Amino acid sequence: MEYVVLIILVVLLIIIIRCIKIVPQAHVFVIERLGSFHAEWQTGIHFMIPFIYRVAGKVSLKEKVVDFKPQPVITKDNVTMQIDTVVFYQVTNAKQYIYGVERPLAAIENLSATTLRNIIGEMELDSTLTSRDVINTKITAILDQATDRWGIKVNRVELKNILPPREIQDAMEKQMKAERERREKILQAEGDKKSQVLVAEGEKESQILRAEAKKQAQILEAEAEKQAMILRADAVREQKILEATGEAQAIELVQQALADSLVKLNKAAPSEKVIQLKALESFSKAADGKATKIIIPSEIQGLAGLAAGLKGVVDDSGTAEPEYEPVDD
């Protein structure tokens, strides 16, 4: 009897424990009562009456990421490509998510495939490869609107891979290679052009600098020649001044000496004979030249030695004998 009671207590404890439900964070439990929707249990602890209430579904409110398999699509210019998509979605209404659609992931996958085919079918290959953002925006808007009644919010759709056929890839690679070669030639031509321009500018600058240097050299040379001429003129002028000064001083000294001699002569009071003798000496010096005619005063004509002196002077100089004419005082 005791074992039966113990078993009953254990069963009741298990039932009570199973009736206690704890909803984790970011989750919602959809509860049915006698087979119909009853409530949505949010985060926290809840008590469920056994055999009357049941959990119809446990829904996570976190954002989910689903990577679908590549889907074959045909472009407007009849090129078949394989495109796989990545869908980011989040459950916003647990009741609609449980009761709105059967197999929600399959529904989203099929809806994304058909939407992608419709969008790509209106575009050509080149625009498809270069318009991922446009495709992502369009497919996101269409899926979000379609899944709204399922309690699903499509946040973003991304094209993961776009795989054209192999022959298209080969043609694209050749085109890309040709484009790169063209760009390389253009860059090389531009580089050569810039190099030639720089060389020409360098030569131009060099010629300008050489011309400026030559000009400066000529200016400096002219300035040096000018200074030299000025210095030479100053030296000649100084030399002439010094010579003129020397001559003036010499004349002054001669005149001073002559004046001094006259003064001394006057002081000495010479006799008449001495004066006549000095006059004779002066005439002998005057005759020491190339003169052919000398005029002698009458006062000194009577001197006996005048003819002999003059003859000796004439013989020494090798000139013709001068003629003497007496001059009366």
Side-chain angles (χ1 to χ4, degrees):
M1 185 67 180
E2 294 179 355
Y3 291 106
V4 174
V5 174
L6 182 61
I7 292 172
I8 292 173
L9 291 175
V10 171
V11 171
L12 289 176
L13 181 61
I14 293 173
I15 292 173
I16 292 172
I17 292 174
R18 288 179 63 86
C19 290
I20 298 174
K21 298 295 181 181
I22 299 176
V23 180
Q25 182 69 34
H27 286 75
V28 173
F29 286 2
V30 177
I31 306 300
E32 291 181 352
R33 183 178 62 185
L34 299 175
S36 62
F37 173 76
H38 173 64
E40 294 180 359
W41 284 356
Q42 304 296 328
T43 302
I45 186 170
H46 300 271
F47 184 78
M48 183 177 64
I49 300 174
F51 307 111
I52 296 177
Y53 295 97
R54 80 177 187 90
V55 178
K58 299 178 180 180
V59 180
S60 175
L61 300 180
K62 298 178 182 179
E63 186 175 6
K64 299 180 180 63
V65 181
V66 182
D67 187 2
F68 296 127
K69 296 180 180 180
Q71 300 291 332
V73 294
I74 301 175
T75 63
K76 185 177 181 180
D77 49 355
N78 296 324
V79 177
T80 302
M81 297 186 300
Q82 296 289 330
I83 301 178
D84 57 339
T85 57
V86 179
V87 179
F88 299 82
Y89 73 96
Q90 185 178 10
V91 177
T92 58
N93 191 317
K95 178 183 177 182
Q96 292 179 354
Y97 181 76
I98 295 297
Y99 299 109
V101 63
E102 187 73 22
R103 298 170 59 195
L105 292 181
I108 293 175
E109 181 179 5
N110 292 326
L111 182 60
S112 65
T114 54
T115 304
L116 186 62
R117 288 190 181 98
N118 292 334
I119 295 174
I120 299 299
E122 298 176 354
M123 305 174 65
E124 295 182 354
L125 176 62
D126 293 338
S127 60
T128 301
L129 297 175
T130 58
S131 304
R132 289 196 177 195
D133 292 339
V134 176
I135 299 173
N136 294 337
T137 303
K138 288 183 178 181
I139 193 172
T140 299
I142 294 173
L143 288 181
D144 183 44
Q145 183 179 1
T147 58
D148 186 61
R149 62 180 182 274
W150 301 339
I152 298 174
K153 172 68 176 178
V154 177
N155 296 324
R156 189 168 64 255
V157 179
E158 296 288 342
L159 301 184
K160 185 177 180 180
N161 288 316
I162 299 177
L163 301 175
R166 187 60 193 175
E167 58 273 11
I168 300 297
Q169 294 183 18
D170 294 339
M172 292 173 63
E173 290 178 357
K174 292 179 181 178
Q175 182 180 2
M176 180 178 60
K177 183 178 180 181
E179 181 66 21
R180 288 180 178 176
E181 290 178 354
R182 184 182 67 84
R183 292 180 180 179
E184 180 182 1
K185 291 180 180 178
I186 292 174
L187 292 176
Q188 185 175 2
E190 290 180 353
D192 293 339
K193 177 183 177 182
K194 291 181 179 180
S195 176
Q196 293 177 2
V197 170
L198 292 176
V199 170
E201 289 180 353
E203 182 64 25
K204 176 182 177 182
E205 294 292 334
S206 177
Q207 291 179 359
I208 292 173
L209 292 176
R210 286 197 295 268
E212 289 291 337
K214 185 176 180 180
K215 177 182 177 182
Q216 292 294 330
Q218 291 176 353
I219 292 173
L220 293 176
E221 184 178 357
E223 289 289 337
E225 183 65 24
K226 177 181 177 182
Q227 294 295 330
M229 292 175 66
I230 292 173
L231 292 175
R232 285 195 297 269
D234 291 340
V236 171
R237 182 174 59 85
E238 293 292 335
Q239 182 180 1
K240 290 181 177 180
I241 291 173
L242 292 175
E243 289 178 355
T245 303
E247 291 178 357
Q249 291 177 354
I251 293 171
E252 183 179 359
L253 291 174
V254 170
Q255 295 295 329
Q256 184 65 36
L258 182 58
D260 292 341
S261 63
L262 293 175
V263 170
K264 290 179 180 181
L265 186 60
N266 290 328
K267 288 182 179 181
S271 63
E272 186 68 23
K273 297 296 184 180
V274 172
I275 294 173
Q276 292 178 358
L277 181 60
K278 291 294 183 181
L280 182 60
E281 291 178 357
S282 298
F283 276 101
S284 65
K285 292 180 180 181
D288 190 10
K290 296 182 180 181
T292 60
K293 189 175 183 180
I294 298 176
I295 300 173
I296 300 174
S298 59
E299 288 83 356
I300 58 174
Q301 290 181 2
L303 295 178
L306 177 59
L310 291 176
K311 184 178 183 300
V313 172
V314 173
D315 292 339
D316 292 336
S317 60
T319 57
E321 183 177 355
E323 298 178 358
Y324 299 96
E325 295 182 0
V327 177
D328 294 334
D329 291 337

